[in-house]
Amino acid sequence: EIRGMLALSNALGAASRRVQPAGVRTMFAATKASSGSMTKVSFGSSIPGYVAGPQGAPAVIVIQEWWGVTDQVAEHAARVASKGFRVLVPDLYKGKVGLDAEEASHMMGNLDFPGAVQEICQGADFLKAEGSPKVGIMGFCMGGALALGGAAASPHIRCVAAFYGCNFDLFKPSDLKEKPVMGHFGAEDVMSGFADAATARKLEAVLKDTGNDKVSVTVHEGVGHAFMNTSPAPFASFEERKEALGFPVYDEVTAEAAWSSTLGFFTRNLIMG
């Protein structure tokens, strides 16, 4: 189930080895999300997570990157909640956060991906039970792949926005035939078979081949993996991140355009649709 993740794990693991050994854990330190803007919850089979936004409003599940539920993930969730959505962030690593690339790779490699998809489904059940009339999902990196899997598996998830991550082993295209799908990828992403432009185009093609006319996959020029992250953390600058990982520097115009289209997508499908 993790074949599509190997490009991500290998590339970031190799990047970590290019950093001076004494600084690896510092350079890749990921901070656990502050609960200041979110409230801890337990749902389904005692799955931990965080919620934000008004209970009973149309909801969006936000899925973590491979590091875990970090401040960056919390920032993404807070932005969605600020638009009036109920937001749930399942903690798929159960409180753990990768402190360096090797540890994050280990946690991702040990993650039961089909099991994580089922936990996402339980998250959708939880939101419906809370009173949310409609539920969507979005995810970043590893979370993008899991978001597609969750949307295919859950009858309660109405639409999905996946950012630079796709694992074709986690879903059947036919299971997404009736659901709006949005994808955002970077033209300079080198995660072959997982998040590169060729994978984005394949995702678009296999979904449209089912007859789904509600598919929109964009390959943004000039950006690469993790282009939605507003902070270079754990690096001191985006230039340092680029030197270590090869990711282009943050492009606010592109990121804001992706946010605008994504929030419009959720508004159309969860509030207006």
Side-chain angles (χ1 to χ4, degrees):
E1 289 79 15
I2 65 169
R3 286 198 305 257
M5 307 297 183
L6 291 180
L8 172 66
S9 179
N10 291 340
L12 294 188
S16 73
R17 291 189 290 273
R18 292 198 295 271
V19 181
Q20 290 296 320
V24 170
R25 290 188 69 83
T26 299
M27 293 292 284
F28 281 87
T31 56
K32 190 174 181 180
S34 167
S35 60
S37 61
M38 300 193 294
T39 302
K40 289 184 178 181
V41 294
S42 178
F43 62 92
S45 54
S46 299
I47 302 160
Y50 299 89
V51 291
Q55 182 175 335
V60 178
I61 301 171
V62 178
I63 307 298
Q64 68 191 55
E65 296 179 306
W66 81 322
W67 301 105
V69 181
T70 62
D71 285 339
Q72 183 66 74
V73 175
E75 179 183 306
H76 292 327
R79 181 154 186 175
V80 177
S82 74
K83 300 302 180 182
F85 294 98
R86 181 65 160 174
V87 175
L88 170 66
V89 183
D91 187 349
L92 301 177
Y93 287 167
K94 312 301 186 288
K96 297 180 180 179
V97 174
L99 296 178
D100 56 43
E102 182 178 358
E103 187 172 5
S105 176
H106 179 73
M107 289 192 296
M108 184 182 72
N110 285 338
L111 183 66
D112 175 359
F113 280 89
V117 167
Q118 291 307 308
E119 291 183 353
I120 290 168
C121 292
Q122 291 182 55
D125 295 344
F126 167 77
L127 291 166
K128 292 290 288 186
E130 272 199 330
S132 293
K134 297 176 183 176
V135 179
I137 189 169
M138 68 189 304
F140 303 86
C141 181
M142 178 188 85
L146 285 167
L148 289 164
S154 172
H156 292 319
I157 297 179
R158 182 182 179 90
C159 59
V160 52
F163 287 81
Y164 34 83
C166 177
N167 182 342
F168 294 102
D169 293 334
L170 288 179
F171 67 94
K172 295 179 180 178
S174 58
D175 289 337
L176 290 169
K177 180 179 180 179
E178 305 299 330
K179 299 186 179 186
V181 179
M182 175 168 281
H184 292 284
F185 294 79
E188 297 186 33
D189 198 317
V190 297
M191 305 296 178
S192 179
F194 176 73
D196 61 333
T199 300
R201 295 306 181 203
K202 179 181 177 181
L203 173 64
E204 181 177 43
V206 299
L207 293 176
K208 287 186 173 180
D209 282 349
T210 68
N212 189 339
D213 61 356
K214 300 177 288 294
V215 177
S216 174
V217 177
T218 302
V219 177
H220 299 272
E221 295 298 327
V223 295
H225 204 71
F227 71 84
M228 296 295 285
N229 288 1
T230 58
S231 167
F235 298 94
S237 68
F238 283 107
E239 287 71 21
E240 283 189 20
R241 188 186 75 168
K242 182 177 182 179
E243 182 177 353
L245 300 181
F247 300 172
V249 298
Y250 177 64
D251 183 333
E252 183 178 6
V253 172
T254 299
E256 287 300 313
W259 266 120
S260 179
S261 62
T262 301
L263 292 171
F265 172 78
F266 285 132
T267 297
R268 288 193 305 274
N269 289 292
L270 302 179
I271 296 177
M272 299 172 60

